[in-house]
Structures are given as C-alpha cells and as structure tokens.
Amino acid sequence: MIYRIRHITHYEYEKPVTLCYNRAYLLPRDTEYQSCTDSRIQIYPAYTLGQQRTDYFGNKAYFFSLEQPHQELKIDVTTDIRVHESKYARECELDLDFGNTCGQALVALQESRELPVLEAREFVLNSPMIKTASSLHEYARSSFASNRPLLSAVRELTERIYTDFTYDPESTSIATPLDEVLQNKRGVCQDFAHLAIGCLRSLGFPARYVSGYLETLPPPGQEKLVGSDASHAWFAVFSPGEGWFEFDPTNNNMPAEHHITTAWGRDYGDVSPLKGVFFDGGKSQKLTVSVDVSRRQN
C-alpha cells in the first residue's frame, strides 16, 4: 500500500515575529513495516536555516529558523510512504493468549542482559509528561494477573480505556495531567496513549508513545477511525524476547495498514509535530492544522 500524506500547519500572528526557531517531527520514519519514498517540505516565508537530523530514538527531526520579520508561518509537508504487507499481520484481532506471561516478562526485564531488553528498560522510567502513580497501578492491575499472557492483558487494558473513556477534544489540552484525565474519563488520543503508558509503567512494563497518522477516508463500508483528521497517537509495549507490540486505545485495535508511524519516544513532548520559540508577534496567534492521508496505490 502506498499513501500520500499532506500535513499543513499555518500560524497567523497579531504582530510581526522577528525571529523563530523550530523543531518538527513531520517526516515519517522508516521502520520494519513502512518505508518513506519521497518527502517535500515547503516553508513560507523562506527559512534562513534548515537541517534534518536523526534524534536519540531514531526519528527524523527537522530544525529550521526564520530570522526575518514575518506575520504568518506555513509549513507544508507532503510525504509518499509505502506500508509493507507484512504489517497487516499486526492487526491480529485474534487470540493473544500466547508468549510471555506478565510474571515472566517482569522477571526477564529484571534479569536479562540482552541488548533489546536493556534498551527497553528506559521506557519503564518516568518521563516529563508521564509519571507513575498508585491510581494508575490500581486502574490497570486487575487485567495483569501474573500467569496471564502479557499481550492479552495489554489488549484488555486497551479495550477498557476505549470503553471507560469518552473521546472529547474540548476536555483536555496537552498540559492536562494524567490524574485529571483518569478522574474525568475524557480526553483525546494523546491522553489515552499517555494513560495506557502510565498504567504499564506503573506495573513495571516498558511502554513508549507513538505519533503518526490514520488514513483519512476509510475503505468502502467501513467507519472512519477517530483521529484521522489530524496527527494521531497510540502506544507500544515491550515483551522480552518477542519485541514491541502496538495498540490504539482510541479505536480499540492493534495498528495495521491504516496507521502510519511518524516518530516514537517517551511521551508527546519527545515527538510533538512542531515545537519552537519565537520573539514578538503580539499577544495572540491563530493556528490551523490540516491533515490528509490518501491511498495512491494498493
């Protein structure tokens, strides 16, 4: 499957901005399941400096600066990406009662000296936007009996978040703490991904935040997925000896051909689509974002 993704971010400022520095995670990374065939970044007005780098997690980070006065900023990114058929097997809404049990996974995480396990263990630690808490442990623990397969338990947690929480774009912001999301049981995809990660880390399991896109228009006869009009978020959990497995609590599924990965990290702050600083610009600004993901070839 080949997709074309177009992501447009447009800022309008009350007064001219004299200088700005920005970091963008808008270029999808290459993974085992997808490969980027072409990317084009257009920035208006023309930027002074621009450079792509690979960050600590292997993501494609793009840094640019505008060092002349401007009253609007537009970042228009178009990417063609091939999603490999091998990824389709990940949408395994089948029996997940296999592999490491929760107890076996916790022992291996403590005792194994294999490099993938050692690298995954950093995702058990607190991160700036996700702190472990007794309330998260309490919410999740009923699904994670010691003798239960880990993936089956994570699948149940995913379904519980989907069932217990309401998707409500007006209820939270990026700064909303997890305890408030848990109490109000409302939020968006970023909140639900953070919630699942916080639950898993509170239990001792490595989990990471995944940022990406969903196909904008579903195949005929299928319902549109939640979050397909903007960048999307889900999470991945690590099972020793088995690898990373992704789950989407917003749509109660395991990501497959509809999901396209941009970047992953500890939480949203590591991979926010656009982050930066600017000088002047007045007291207000207007932001509009549009995303379109369309199939170019089956």
Side-chain angles (χ1 to χ4, degrees), residues 85-144:
E85 290 186 2
S86 59
K87 184 178 182 180
Y88 298 173
R90 298 167 67 199
E91 194 170 29
C92 49
E93 301 303 328
L94 304 174
D95 187 0
L96 291 177
D97 289 329
F98 64 87
N100 291 323
T101 65
C102 297
Q104 290 170 337
L106 290 174
V107 170
L109 286 164
Q110 291 297 320
E111 298 182 353
S112 175
R113 294 299 178 263
E114 294 182 358
L115 183 59
V117 177
L118 296 176
E119 291 177 338
R121 280 165 58 176
E122 68 178 301
F123 289 96
V124 180
L125 303 175
N126 286 337
S127 59
M129 300 185 74
I130 305 176
K131 311 293 184 184
T132 57
S134 58
S135 58
L136 298 173
H137 182 281
E138 183 65 23
Y139 176 77
R141 69 183 180 90
S142 63
S143 297
F144 290 81

Side-chain angles (χ1 to χ4, degrees), residues 5 9 21 70 74 79 90 93 125 132 147 156 176 193 203 239 251 263 281 291 294:
I5 305 166
T9 306
Y21 298 97
H70 57 280
K74 182 178 181 181
T79 301
R90 298 167 67 199
E93 301 303 328
L125 303 175
T132 57
N147 61 350
E156 181 177 294
T176 302
L203 294 166
S239 179
N251 291 293
V291 172
S294 57

Side-chain angles (χ1 to χ4, degrees), residues 41-115:
I41 299 178
Q42 295 180 300
I43 298 173
Y44 174 83
Y47 55 85
T48 304
L49 296 172
Q51 183 180 37
Q52 181 179 321
R53 302 176 191 170
T54 301
D55 74 0
Y56 172 77
F57 300 108
N59 304 308
K60 298 176 183 178
Y62 193 80
F63 296 84
F64 66 93
S65 65
L66 277 71
E67 300 177 7
Q68 71 274 15
H70 57 280
Q71 204 157 343
E72 65 176 318
L73 171 62
K74 182 178 181 181
I75 304 100
D76 187 343
V77 181
T78 301
T79 301
D80 291 339
I81 191 161
R82 181 185 297 275
V83 179
H84 308 305
E85 290 186 2
S86 59
K87 184 178 182 180
Y88 298 173
R90 298 167 67 199
E91 194 170 29
C92 49
E93 301 303 328
L94 304 174
D95 187 0
L96 291 177
D97 289 329
F98 64 87
N100 291 323
T101 65
C102 297
Q104 290 170 337
L106 290 174
V107 170
L109 286 164
Q110 291 297 320
E111 298 182 353
S112 175
R113 294 299 178 263
E114 294 182 358
L115 183 59

Side-chain angles (χ1 to χ4, degrees), residues 39-295:
S39 291
R40 298 175 296 282
I41 299 178
Q42 295 180 300
I43 298 173
Y44 174 83
Y47 55 85
T48 304
L49 296 172
Q51 183 180 37
Q52 181 179 321
R53 302 176 191 170
T54 301
D55 74 0
Y56 172 77
F57 300 108
N59 304 308
K60 298 176 183 178
Y62 193 80
F63 296 84
F64 66 93
S65 65
L66 277 71
E67 300 177 7
Q68 71 274 15
H70 57 280
Q71 204 157 343
E72 65 176 318
L73 171 62
K74 182 178 181 181
I75 304 100
D76 187 343
V77 181
T78 301
T79 301
D80 291 339
I81 191 161
R82 181 185 297 275
V83 179
H84 308 305
E85 290 186 2
S86 59
K87 184 178 182 180
Y88 298 173
R90 298 167 67 199
E91 194 170 29
C92 49
E93 301 303 328
L94 304 174
D95 187 0
L96 291 177
D97 289 329
F98 64 87
N100 291 323
T101 65
C102 297
Q104 290 170 337
L106 290 174
V107 170
L109 286 164
Q110 291 297 320
E111 298 182 353
S112 175
R113 294 299 178 263
E114 294 182 358
L115 183 59
V117 177
L118 296 176
E119 291 177 338
R121 280 165 58 176
E122 68 178 301
F123 289 96
V124 180
L125 303 175
N126 286 337
S127 59
M129 300 185 74
I130 305 176
K131 311 293 184 184
T132 57
S134 58
S135 58
L136 298 173
H137 182 281
E138 183 65 23
Y139 176 77
R141 69 183 180 90
S142 63
S143 297
F144 290 81
S146 179
N147 61 350
R148 183 177 187 179
L150 174 60
L151 297 182
S152 175
V154 178
R155 185 68 185 88
E156 181 177 294
L157 175 64
T158 299
E159 184 169 8
R160 287 175 55 198
I161 293 174
Y162 175 79
T163 302
D164 295 345
F165 290 75
T166 300
Y167 185 87
D168 182 359
E170 304 300 323
S171 64
T172 60
S173 70
I174 292 302
T176 302
L178 270 184
D179 57 353
E180 187 174 324
V181 175
L182 184 60
Q183 179 179 354
N184 296 333
K185 290 186 165 45
R186 310 182 80 84
V188 294
C189 54
Q190 290 85 359
D191 300 307
F192 302 153
H194 279 175
L195 176 65
I197 293 167
C199 287
L200 289 164
R201 291 179 184 171
S202 294
L203 294 166
F205 300 108
R208 67 190 182 195
Y209 181 95
V210 185
S211 176
Y213 300 102
L214 286 172
E215 184 178 13
T216 307
L217 295 176
Q222 296 186 25
E223 291 186 3
K224 185 176 182 179
L225 295 173
V226 177
S228 59
D229 291 323
S231 57
H232 192 49
W234 55 97
F235 73 93
V237 64
F238 181 79
S239 179
E242 297 172 337
W244 289 93
F245 295 83
E246 297 180 2
F247 297 82
D248 180 355
T250 304
N251 291 293
N252 192 27
N253 61 22
M254 294 183 73
E257 73 267 26
H258 302 300
H259 291 70
I260 300 163
T261 300
T262 302
W264 59 58
R266 298 167 300 168
D267 56 37
Y268 173 85
D270 283 338
V271 294
S272 56
L274 187 65
K275 186 176 184 178
V277 295
F278 63 88
F279 297 88
D280 303 314
K283 296 182 179 179
S284 63
Q285 58 182 286
K286 179 182 178 182
L287 169 64
T288 56
V289 178
S290 65
V291 172
D292 183 61
V293 181
S294 57
R295 295 191 185 194

